[in-house]
Amino acid sequence: MARLDRFGRGGDQESFVVAGYAAVVFREASENFTRQHAAADTLEGVDFHYLTQNARINAASAASLALAPPAPVVTGARGQNLIARDPSGYDASLSWNPSPGAGGYRVYWRDTWSNQWQHSQATGNVTHLLLPGMSIDDLIFGVAAVDSAGHESLIRAYTSSPGTLPDVELVRP
């Protein structure tokens, strides 16, 4: 899902996202809104085979992430993104802080309108990558840490903060 949650709904993952943590929510593909959180939401409506498979996938995903090194930090000491247009003014110059336990890194990128990472490149054990001819304005970039056994962290994206807008004083004529 490309947004935090469904319209008019909320979930436990939202408080984690607001606090700056990566959060995942799982939904069944065929939700029945007439039964959810209502008197008709009974044990007879549970598909235990589906629930068992879902629990296995969740456990495997959590275990995989637990074995991986932490995601690299892509911001500097003052909170600035470590991304630039050097040296040509059009090249993507990406840097990140070393991640404990990483044996290498994988850089990802996608079109700005895409919700899926479309491309990736292994970098080896370095903390900088120059991608000539790739504009940081036309693509979204991210980086993941990979340990020697191949366990990969979550991808940390280079995103701009919306910042804070000044208060606007309304003047009535």
Side-chain angles (χ1 to χ4, degrees), residues 84-94 109 121 128-136 139 141:
R85 295 177 183 88
D86 300 328
S88 73
Y90 192 79
D91 302 325
S93 179
L94 310 174
W109 63 95
Q121 178 178 329
H128 178 261
L129 181 66
L130 179 67
L131 295 167
M134 298 176 90
S135 171
I136 65 174
L139 300 163
F141 294 92

Side-chain angles (χ1 to χ4, degrees), residues 142-164:
V143 63
V146 184
D147 71 11
S148 59
H151 301 110
E152 187 170 323
S153 74
L154 293 173
I155 300 167
R156 182 73 49 97
Y158 296 84
T159 57
S160 58
S161 169
T164 57

Side-chain angles (χ1 to χ4, degrees), residues 51-128:
L51 184 60
T52 301
Q53 291 299 92
N54 191 282
R56 286 181 180 142
I57 290 168
N58 292 347
S61 299
S64 177
L65 288 172
L67 291 170
V73 175
V74 297
T75 54
R78 296 184 316 270
Q80 77 282 13
N81 276 301
L82 300 175
I83 187 169
R85 295 177 183 88
D86 300 328
S88 73
Y90 192 79
D91 302 325
S93 179
L94 310 174
S95 296
W96 54 90
N97 294 297
S99 184
Y105 300 89
R106 180 170 290 281
V107 169
Y108 289 83
W109 63 95
R110 61 184 169 85
D111 292 322
T112 57
W113 58 82
S114 176
N115 294 323
Q116 304 284 333
W117 295 106
Q118 296 166 305
H119 310 279
S120 69
Q121 178 178 329
T123 68
N125 197 9
V126 299
T127 57
H128 178 261

Side-chain angles (χ1 to χ4, degrees), residues 34-55:
T34 63
R35 294 180 61 166
Q36 289 182 344
H37 308 294
D41 194 359
T42 63
L43 194 59
E44 290 77 31
V46 175
D47 180 338
F48 286 99
H49 176 73
Y50 173 85
L51 184 60
T52 301
Q53 291 299 92
N54 191 282

